[in-house]
Amino acid sequence: MSKHNFFAKFFKKTSIFINSLLKKKLNKLNFLFEKDKFLTFLSFKRGFMFLSALIVLTFSYLSIPNFYDTSNLINNIKNQLYKDLNIDFSLSEEFSYNLFPKPNLTFQEIKFLNQDKKFASVDEMKIYISFSNLFASNDIRIKNINLNKVNFDLNKKNYNFFVKLLNSNFSNFNLEIENSNIFYRNIENEVLFINKIDQLKYYYDLKDNKNTFVANNEIFNIPYTVELKNHKDEKKILTKVNFDFLKLQVKNILSYKQIQKNGLIEFTYNKKKSEGTYQLNNNLFNFNYLSKSLDNDFKYEGIINFIPFFSKISGDIDIINLNKLFNPDTILVQLFKSELLNNKNLNINVIINAEQIIPFRDLNNLVFKFRIEDGLLDISETKFSWLDYVDFQIFDSLLYVRDNNLVLDSNISIDIHNSSEVYKFFQTPRNYRKKINKIKFNFIYNFDQEITNLNNIEIDNLVNPEVNKILDQFISKDTILQNRIYFKSLINEAIKSYAG
C-alpha cells in the first residue's frame, strides 16, 4: 500500500511540473494572438530585412552558373558520366541552366563516342544536379540524366550496348531516354531495321536490389514493352517482353557465368506456353525449342552462325495453321515485306515437318522448306499430300515484293495415285472421269490482296488451252466453305473440258 502511495505522489508531482513548463512556453507565444504586440513584432525593419534577404538569396541562386568554372564543370560531368556509364560524351561548353522542375544543366547536340567514333547523336541532354553541391563546379553531383531525340547506330561491334549499360552504377541516379530511334546496321552500314523508343529508363530497384531497364518501344509498327534486370551476384540477366497487341509474352533468363552463355526462354501466346534452351559461344548459337501445351505439340532445333551468317533450323509439329502463318497482318508477312531478309550476306535453311495442315483437314504430311540464299527467298522442294491419293511438290519458287504487296510465284507438280478417289471428292460425273497421272501449273498468290492465279497448266505433259482459260479465272473467296464449293465447281468445269 505504501508503494502505491509513493508512485501516486510521484506521478502527481511530475504532471504539475510538465504543466508549469508548458504554461511558460505558451505565455511567450501569446503575443502572436495580441494585435498590438504582433504588429510590433512585424515591424518595418524586420520585414524589410526579411524581404532583402529573400531577394539576395533568389538572385544568388539564379546567378550560380556565373560562378562556375566552365571547363572544370564540363570535365567533372564528363568524368562522372564515363565513370558511372562507361560512355565518352562529347559535350559543348554552351549549355543553359534551369531551375524548374529541379536544378539542371541542358546541353544541345551532343554525341556518344565509342573508340573515337560516333555511334549516337543527341538533340538534348538534361543533367539534374544535387542541391548539396550546387555552388562548387568541381564537386557537382549528378542526380538524373534525361536524353531526348537520340539516334543510335548499332552494329555487330556495339549491338549489346543497352545490355552492357545494366552493369553501370544506377544507385545514385536514373537514366531516361525519350522520343528516340535505334538503327540496326549490317556490315555494309545499311539499315536493317529501326526500333522506335517512346520511353526508356534505367534505375536501381530498391525492392530487388537490382539494376533495372524498362522501355516502351515500337518495331515494324508493332508496340511492345521490355524489362531487363541484371543479377550480378548470380551472373544472370532476366528479360520480359510483352507484345500486348499480339497477346504474346516472352521471358528469358541468360546466364553468363562461363564463356559459353546458356539461356532459357519461355513464350506465352494466348495462354499457350512453350519454352526453349540455347547456348551461345562466340559466333555460334544452338537452340532447342518445344511446346508445353498438350493440344499443340511441336519441337524445333537449330544452329546459327553469326559471322558469316548461316543458319539451319529443323522442326516437327503436329498441326500447322496456314491462316496464322500467312495472314497479311502477321509478323512473318510484315518481315518479308520489309525486304530485310533480301540480303546477300544471309544464308538460311529451314525445314518444318507437320502431320496436319489446317484449315484444309484433308492435307497432311507437310515438309516445308524455306531458304534464303544470295538475297533470294524461296520455298522450293516443299511437299505435302492429300490423304493417300495425291502428292504435291513446289519447285522454282520465289517470294518477293511488288507494289508493296508480298507475292509468292511458284510452280507445282501434282502426282495422282488414285484418280477415282479424287473424282469422288469433286463429285465428277462418271462419263468425265478420265485417268490422270500428273499435273503441273504455275501458282501466283498475293498475300495482301489474297488473290490466287493459276496458269500454264499441263495435264500428263499436255497443255489444254480450254483448261487454262477456265482455271485462269480462279479467284479466292471470303470463306473456306465458299472456296471449297467454288473450287469444286471450277475443277469439274475444267475436267469436263479436258475429257471432251
Side-chain angles (χ1 to χ4, degrees):
M1 191 69 176
S2 60
K3 289 183 179 180
H4 174 76
N5 291 334
F6 171 78
F7 283 111
K9 290 178 181 179
F10 174 77
F11 285 121
K12 186 177 180 180
K13 291 180 179 180
T14 304
S15 179
I16 292 169
F17 177 73
I18 291 172
N19 287 334
S20 65
L21 286 177
L22 288 173
K23 190 175 181 180
K24 290 179 181 179
K25 295 293 182 183
L26 288 172
N27 286 335
K28 290 182 178 181
L29 295 174
N30 279 341
F31 77 94
L32 292 175
F33 304 97
E34 296 177 14
K35 184 177 180 180
D36 295 337
K37 293 183 178 180
F38 181 69
L39 291 174
T40 303
F41 175 76
L42 292 179
S43 64
F44 175 77
K45 290 183 178 180
R46 286 180 176 174
F48 178 76
M49 290 176 63
F50 175 77
L51 184 60
S52 300
L54 182 62
I55 293 172
V56 170
L57 287 173
T58 301
F59 276 98
S60 298
Y61 183 66
L62 292 171
S63 60
I64 286 174
N66 295 323
F67 298 103
Y68 289 154
D69 183 326
T70 303
S71 298
N72 286 341
L73 176 66
I74 298 297
N75 289 332
N76 181 25
I77 290 175
K78 288 180 64 175
N79 290 336
Q80 284 189 62
L81 293 173
Y82 188 80
K83 178 182 177 182
D84 292 332
L85 299 175
N86 196 29
I87 299 175
D88 187 7
F89 284 85
S90 174
L91 298 179
S92 168
E93 293 191 358
E94 297 294 328
F95 63 89
S96 60
Y97 175 74
N98 303 287
L99 290 174
F100 303 103
K102 296 176 182 178
N104 67 82
L105 305 173
T106 301
F107 295 85
Q108 305 287 340
E109 297 182 357
I110 64 173
K111 299 177 180 67
F112 291 5
L113 301 179
N114 184 20
Q115 296 178 349
D116 297 327
K117 292 183 179 180
K118 182 193 78 171
F119 75 96
S121 59
V122 188
D123 272 14
E124 181 182 84
M125 177 170 72
K126 287 187 178 182
I127 298 179
Y128 294 88
I129 54 181
S130 171
F131 276 103
S132 58
N133 306 91
L134 204 58
F135 289 92
S137 61
N138 292 327
D139 201 27
I140 277 182
R141 291 290 175 264
I142 296 174
K143 295 299 293 182
N144 289 312
I145 303 169
N146 181 279
L147 305 176
N148 189 34
K149 295 183 180 179
V150 188
N151 287 324
F152 294 94
D153 281 312
L154 299 189
N155 50 43
K156 67 175 184 177
K157 294 181 179 179
N158 57 10
Y159 68 93
N160 58 349
F161 167 75
F162 290 95
V163 176
K164 279 187 173 182
L165 267 183
L166 282 173
N167 294 321
S168 304
N169 180 16
F170 291 107
S171 59
N172 296 321
F173 69 94
N174 299 334
L175 172 63
E176 296 182 15
I177 301 174
E178 298 175 338
N179 308 315
S180 301
N181 296 295
I182 305 172
F183 296 88
Y184 289 91
R185 300 181 180 273
N186 60 14
I187 298 174
E188 285 78 22
N189 205 35
E190 298 171 337
V191 177
L192 294 175
F193 58 91
I194 302 172
N195 184 94
K196 294 182 180 179
I197 301 173
D198 292 327
Q199 190 173 37
L200 181 155
K201 184 177 181 179
Y202 287 91
Y203 66 97
Y204 187 77
D205 192 331
L206 295 174
K207 292 182 179 178
D208 294 339
N209 294 323
K210 301 287 185 298
N211 277 344
T212 302
F213 160 95
V214 292
N216 295 320
N217 295 339
E218 184 179 303
I219 189 168
F220 301 125
N221 296 320
I222 297 173
Y224 71 97
T225 61
V226 60
E227 178 180 339
L228 279 76
K229 285 185 181 292
N230 187 11
H231 293 246
K232 285 186 177 181
D233 49 345
E234 301 176 26
K235 292 189 175 180
K236 288 183 179 179
I237 294 177
L238 274 63
T239 309
K240 183 166 68 175
V241 183
N242 282 301
F243 295 91
D244 292 333
F245 173 73
L246 302 172
K247 297 180 181 179
L248 172 65
Q249 183 183 82
V250 183
K251 293 181 179 178
N252 182 64
I253 302 174
L254 175 66
S255 174
Y256 55 93
K257 290 181 180 179
Q258 302 173 349
I259 295 176
Q260 176 177 291
K261 299 176 179 63
N262 299 301
L264 173 66
I265 190 167
E266 180 181 276
F267 294 87
T268 303
Y269 175 70
N270 274 344
K271 298 182 180 179
K272 293 182 179 181
K273 293 187 177 181
S274 55
E275 68 177 20
T277 58
Y278 60 89
Q279 298 81 41
L280 180 61
N281 191 355
N282 293 327
N283 293 320
L284 200 62
F285 179 81
N286 289 278
F287 71 91
N288 285 278
Y289 175 50
L290 53 89
S291 171
K292 295 178 69 177
S293 303
L294 297 176
D295 58 341
N296 190 23
D297 293 333
F298 62 82
K299 181 176 69 175
Y300 299 104
E301 60 183 12
I303 182 171
I304 300 174
N305 190 78
F306 292 105
I307 304 176
F309 190 92
F310 171 79
S311 72
K312 186 176 182 181
I313 301 169
S314 61
D316 297 295
I317 186 170
D318 288 346
I319 300 172
I320 188 168
N321 191 331
L322 295 184
N323 283 340
K324 293 182 179 179
L325 193 63
F326 296 118
N327 187 293
D329 296 324
T330 61
I331 296 178
L332 186 61
V333 172
Q334 293 302 317
L335 181 61
F336 288 149
K337 286 182 64 176
S338 70
E339 299 188 85
L340 295 175
L341 299 177
N342 298 75
N343 190 312
K344 292 186 177 181
N345 295 311
L346 292 180
N347 286 282
I348 298 175
N349 280 286
V350 178
I351 301 175
I352 298 176
N353 301 297
E355 294 182 9
Q356 187 178 353
I357 305 170
I358 57 175
F360 311 104
R361 61 177 181 271
D362 295 328
L363 298 183
N364 56 8
N365 299 329
L366 171 69
V367 180
F368 178 75
K369 294 187 177 182
F370 172 71
R371 181 171 58 239
I372 300 176
E373 191 172 356
D374 294 329
L376 301 176
L377 286 67
D378 71 72
I379 58 170
S380 296
E381 300 181 33
T382 292
K383 302 176 182 178
F384 58 95
S385 300
W386 174 22
L387 300 176
D388 295 326
Y389 313 142
V390 181
D391 288 333
F392 299 82
Q393 181 169 347
I394 297 174
F395 63 98
D396 295 338
S397 71
L398 186 63
L399 195 64
Y400 60 92
V401 176
R402 181 177 63 196
D403 299 328
N404 201 34
N405 283 206
L406 182 66
V407 177
L408 172 63
D409 188 338
S410 62
N411 293 314
I412 296 181
S413 173
I414 303 175
D415 291 315
I416 302 174
H417 307 300
N418 192 332
S419 58
S420 62
E421 291 295 333
V422 175
Y423 286 130
K424 282 182 184 179
F425 174 81
F426 287 105
Q427 299 176 340
T428 305
R430 291 186 178 275
N431 55 321
Y432 294 115
R433 296 187 179 184
K434 187 177 180 180
K435 184 174 176 60
I436 300 174
N437 296 313
K438 197 175 189 71
I439 300 174
K440 289 183 180 179
F441 61 90
N442 177 253
F443 172 88
I444 300 175
Y445 180 69
N446 187 308
F447 287 85
D448 293 270
Q449 299 179 23
E450 299 184 85
I451 294 175
T452 304
N453 294 110
L454 306 177
N455 50 71
N456 298 330
I457 302 166
E458 294 181 12
I459 301 176
D460 287 335
N461 298 319
L462 295 175
V463 177
N464 187 309
E466 288 299 318
V467 172
N468 273 272
K469 185 178 180 180
I470 293 168
L471 293 182
D472 189 47
Q473 300 172 10
F474 176 74
I475 301 173
S476 299
K477 298 296 181 180
D478 293 333
T479 68
I480 297 171
L481 180 60
Q482 287 177 321
N483 256 327
R484 188 166 296 188
I485 295 170
Y486 168 70
F487 187 60
K488 279 185 177 182
S489 175
L490 198 66
I491 290 296
N492 275 319
E493 188 179 346
I495 289 172
K496 288 177 185 179
S497 177
Y498 175 73

